[in-house]
Amino acid sequence: MRSSKYLLATQKETPSDAEVVSHQLMLRAGMIRKLASGLYTWLPNGVRVLHKVEQVVREEMNACGSIEIHMPTVQPSDLWQETGRWDKFGPELLRFQDRHSRDFVLGPTHEEVVTELVRKEVNSYKQLPLNLYQIQTKFRDEVRPRFGVMRSREFLMKDAYSFHLSPECLQKTYDEMYAGYCRIFERLGLEYRPVLADTGSIGGSVSHEFHVLAESGEDAIVFSDGSDYAANIEKAETIAPAGERPAPSQEMQEVATPNAKTIAELIEQFELKIEQTVKTLIVKATEESEHQLIALIIRGDHELNDIKAEKLADVASPLEFASEEEIRAAVGAGPGSLGPVNLPMPVVVDYAAAHCSDFGAGANVDDKHFFGINWERDVALGQVADLRNVVEGDPSPCGSGTLAIKRGIEVGHIFQLGEAYAESMNAAVLNEQGKNQTLTMGCYGVGVSRIVAAAIEQNNDKYGITWPDSIAPFKLAIVPMNMHKSHRVQEVANKLYEEAKERGIDVLFDDRKERPGVMFADIELIGIPHVIVIGDRSLDKGVIEYKNRRSGEKIEVAIEDIFNQF
RNA sequence: CGGUGAUUAGCGCAGCUUGGUAGCGCAUCUGGUUUGGGACCAGAGGGUCGGGAGUUCGAAUCUCUCAUCACCGACCA
């Protein structure tokens, strides 16, 4: 490609609304432009990278025995009614009507459509297992799109779905896909980790996420230093503290605390360690429950894990906090003065909070706290459960090592779905005994457009992007110095450009009539990994210059040796 | 959905307090000079100041309203 015939679209200035480095560089390097909130046009530099990521994913999916198909983005609502997700999915699901007033959705995922396909096309156990994938645009009406294509509303995703008659068969495919995912991220040159994950609204039992490690990641992931254990913080379990709860040493007393509405204010004003306080969070109960509200109690220095909380039998899912009015109506005090003692509702206590003695908490009377509270003596303990996020230094739930926390960008997610979708959609085949048997499913996603952003988060420097060869928009740049003045430079540059094309190398020939500084800056910004510089200065010595973008290494080589350099 | 802030040339911004026919930098175009790290000189084009309504002799500027965008929070395969 000649840059004079190309849309380079680079920018010198960083747009003010781009926060993370990948977003800034994608705009500056002429990869994307925003059309509207969460919607991006991919420019030539971006499309080239996107296609390369796509191609790696496609090759590895094919190697896993998955077969490519292509399903519509627009999906009829009745399929979503069948699985119940028409009601369960929130406003994230974009719904609209066609000219006949029939309901449709813009597909955020394709379980319904693929199951509809398979229930019609597959009738016999002899056709199984079957693994289908597509690389396709998805739409999710995100509440808050941000960070460019990292969390956009429209995005490109590879999604695969496998169909089986037994959990063992599903497990086998799941393991193959797991290995295939590892190969994908290795080939893409990313530093990544597979971690145990929650299955979320997709449902199912076993699930792993693949995370690219980056400071800007939106997920917290947890590692053990004593084993391979790694999990999303949503999923990572805490274990009950070892040993007996310390015996009470204080009497419970009521204390006036007019200026302490938060734990932070409480420990600042009184002689109290944060580990000796508890927070009381009031959430709504399920409609079936005999109570309207439930109290969740965690230690003052801990954070509630929403996912763990909403898995409790009586807690409404999605988790919903009670409003201040509801709390006042039930307790008679505001949210700043709540505690387990004399609380007129069921209480679920986190393991760590249940292990506290002589602790402080609200008295359920405005501006009053109790100090020196002890479970069983002063208040019944009730149900004890895992309610909190793990923190750095917690013992690993696998039994060996302690936990560390890092940030990650979720770029892949695999699930064992089981029979849920197949059952609600009546997807079954005849088994060897000639009996109808419901299918067991797995599903496997890769965020293709998100990978592009994630790769930049891991591969950049002060000059721009430092692509790994596997996904760079161009592998090679030819940068001539003052070509329009020097016939010799022009001749060599053209010859090398033609040779690169013959060799099948993705090459960008910067034939613009620009000053050298401009060309160098653009080539570095868009991150082309290998650069040939041709100028009279080196031609006088019978050589040309090779530069490596990532290492910064510069060497002079004979013209005929140049293609051996990379 | 709540809080905060923004919207003036392609991009980044000033002007608004104190109303008087709209400016800077970058980018673009033309001519010239220059050419190994985002050059210089001269000139040019480009704006119904987010939309609507109001106050006023007169509104980018004051008031109301709507829209869009961003950040924080809530939310989220």
Side-chain angles (χ1 to χ4, degrees):
Chain A
M1 180 61 65
R2 288 171 182 271
S3 57
S4 62
K5 308 250 186 282
Y6 187 67
L7 184 61
L8 213 45
T10 52
Q11 293 179 330
K12 217 190 286 191
E13 292 182 46
T14 303
S16 58
D17 58 347
E19 279 187 281
V20 295
V21 68
S22 61
H23 188 196
Q24 294 169 356
L25 287 173
M26 287 183 82
L27 291 165
R28 287 224 293 135
M31 295 178 68
I32 55 168
R33 289 291 183 265
K34 184 167 81 171
L35 178 64
S37 181
L39 301 176
Y40 290 86
T41 296
W42 288 76
L43 302 180
N45 284 335
V47 167
R48 284 179 158 263
V49 177
L50 201 57
H51 284 341
K52 290 197 175 173
V53 175
E54 220 178 282
Q55 194 49 32
V56 169
V57 172
R58 183 174 279 119
E59 285 168 16
E60 292 302 335
M61 282 299 102
N62 293 344
C64 285
S66 194
I67 309 162
E68 186 162 9
I69 59 172
H70 195 83
M71 295 180 271
T73 41
V74 173
Q75 308 176 8
S77 65
D78 42 359
L79 290 177
W80 288 74
Q81 305 270 16
E82 274 192 64
T83 56
R85 290 208 291 183
W86 178 258
D87 299 316
K88 264 191 236 156
F89 240 92
E92 206 180 39
L93 181 63
L94 184 64
R95 303 152 207 249
F96 60 97
Q97 296 190 327
D98 69 2
R99 60 164 69 191
H100 305 294
S101 306
R102 285 189 285 248
D103 287 318
F104 286 86
V105 307
L106 219 44
T109 173
H110 281 71
E111 282 81 9
E112 280 82 359
V113 179
V114 77
T115 305
E116 150 72 12
L117 175 76
V118 167
R119 74 177 166 185
K120 286 199 167 143
E121 301 303 322
V122 177
N123 310 303
S124 161
Y125 73 94
K126 293 176 189 167
Q127 294 168 280
L128 297 177
L130 183 65
N131 185 348
L132 301 171
Y133 78 96
Q134 65 172 348
I135 295 175
Q136 223 247 16
T137 298
K138 306 283 191 218
F139 189 93
R140 289 181 201 169
D141 201 354
E142 293 283 350
V143 191
R144 189 174 162 204
R146 63 189 121 172
F147 305 155
V149 298
M150 193 89 87
R151 180 174 289 277
S152 52
R153 295 197 292 174
E154 191 176 287
F155 57 99
L156 193 66
M157 182 168 175
K158 185 284 302 179
D159 47 325
Y161 306 88
S162 68
F163 298 86
H164 315 265
L165 277 184
S166 71
E168 294 72 31
C169 182
L170 169 59
Q171 183 68 48
K172 185 164 173 287
T173 297
Y174 186 87
D175 291 343
E176 286 163 6
M177 293 295 270
Y178 183 104
Y181 273 40
C182 291
R183 286 197 303 275
I184 289 171
F185 299 119
E186 265 149 39
R187 281 184 62 184
L188 295 175
L190 298 172
E191 194 192 343
Y192 75 98
R193 294 285 184 283
V195 307
L196 290 168
D198 183 70
T199 50
S201 72
I202 294 269
S205 47
V206 179
S207 175
H208 287 85
E209 288 169 354
F210 290 77
H211 282 265
V212 165
L213 301 182
E215 282 303 310
S216 58
E218 294 186 272
D219 286 294
I221 48 184
V222 172
F223 299 91
S224 167
D225 64 4
S227 75
D228 291 340
Y229 179 85
N232 192 303
I233 199 162
E234 294 174 350
K235 175 80 175 175
E237 294 161 21
T238 65
I239 50 183
E244 293 282 301
R245 179 169 55 231
S249 67
Q250 301 174 9
E251 288 305 307
M252 184 169 85
Q253 48 167 330
E254 194 180 81
V255 181
T257 53
N259 301 313
K261 296 285 181 226
T262 64
I263 296 283
E265 288 167 357
L266 192 68
I267 59 166
E268 197 186 305
Q269 294 167 27
F270 298 89
E271 286 285 306
L272 212 54
K273 287 189 192 142
I274 193 164
E275 298 83 13
Q276 285 198 299
T277 60
V278 303
K279 289 193 265 205
T280 304
L281 306 169
I282 308 227
V283 300
K284 301 210 173 148
T286 55
E287 286 179 13
E288 299 81 53
S289 169
E290 42 188 301
H291 303 276
Q292 293 194 323
L293 299 175
I294 294 181
L296 305 175
I297 298 198
I298 56 176
R299 223 168 67 185
D301 56 328
H302 288 151
E303 250 175 35
L304 181 70
N305 180 310
D306 295 11
I307 289 175
K308 291 175 181 174
E310 58 193 34
K311 282 184 179 156
L312 294 171
D314 285 332
V315 172
S317 175
L319 192 70
E320 201 180 342
F321 284 94
S323 67
E324 179 159 358
E325 295 75 53
E326 288 167 313
I327 292 173
R328 285 201 174 275
V331 182
S337 306
L338 298 176
V341 181
N342 304 327
L343 192 64
M345 65 185 72
V347 168
V348 183
V349 184
D350 179 67
Y351 291 129
H355 202 258
C356 289
S357 52
D358 301 328
F359 61 88
N364 299 321
V365 176
D366 277 333
D367 304 330
K368 298 267 164 80
H369 279 74
F370 286 123
F371 290 174
I373 308 172
N374 281 279
W375 294 112
E376 311 293 5
R377 186 192 70 183
D378 306 316
V379 55
L381 187 50
Q383 186 187 351
V384 178
D386 177 13
L387 288 181
R388 66 177 176 95
N389 283 334
V390 299
V391 293
E392 198 111 12
D394 273 347
S396 172
C398 72
S400 76
T402 57
L403 297 177
I405 299 177
K406 290 186 183 175
R407 307 295 301 178
I409 301 166
E410 182 190 348
V411 291
H413 202 161
I414 59 179
F415 302 79
Q416 293 188 19
L417 294 177
E419 298 186 355
Y421 290 90
E423 199 175 299
S424 59
M425 291 185 67
N426 233 338
V429 299
L430 291 183
N431 63 17
E432 273 181 271
Q433 287 77 44
K435 294 255 165 57
N436 239 351
Q437 190 180 335
T438 302
L439 296 171
T440 286
M441 291 174 61
C443 89
Y444 318 88
V446 170
V448 176
S449 44
R450 182 180 282 182
I451 281 176
V452 176
I456 296 172
E457 289 292 325
Q458 280 191 351
N459 296 286
N460 67 81
D461 63 17
K462 64 178 173 174
Y463 302 110
I465 306 168
T466 55
W467 292 113
D469 280 22
S470 56
I471 51 174
F474 296 94
K475 186 177 180 189
L476 173 66
I478 295 176
V479 184
M481 300 288 104
N482 304 317
M483 182 173 71
H484 58 284
K485 281 263 180 72
S486 165
H487 285 295
R488 192 167 54 149
V489 169
Q490 194 172 10
E491 202 176 308
V492 174
N494 273 308
K495 183 176 147 270
L496 290 178
Y497 174 55
E498 293 304 326
E499 187 174 348
K501 282 199 294 182
E502 272 166 37
R503 287 171 178 256
I505 296 171
D506 262 331
V507 56
L508 182 69
F509 178 16
D510 201 347
D511 62 344
R512 293 175 297 173
K513 197 177 166 183
E514 281 291 355
R515 298 169 62 83
V518 174
M519 294 196 279
F520 286 134
D522 275 345
I523 297 300
E524 280 157 4
L525 176 59
I526 68 179
I528 300 177
H530 306 283
V531 183
I532 296 175
V533 182
I534 302 162
D536 279 317
R537 207 162 77 182
S538 45
L539 288 180
D540 286 343
K541 293 192 273 179
V543 296
I544 53 177
E545 196 175 301
Y546 165 78
K547 274 172 69 171
N548 187 291
R549 172 70 178 91
R550 281 160 77 89
S551 67
E553 170 201 24
K554 266 190 226 181
I555 49 172
E556 293 186 329
V557 293
I559 295 172
E560 54 276 17
D561 288 339
I562 186 65
F563 290 106
N564 302 324
Q565 298 306 315
F566 50 90

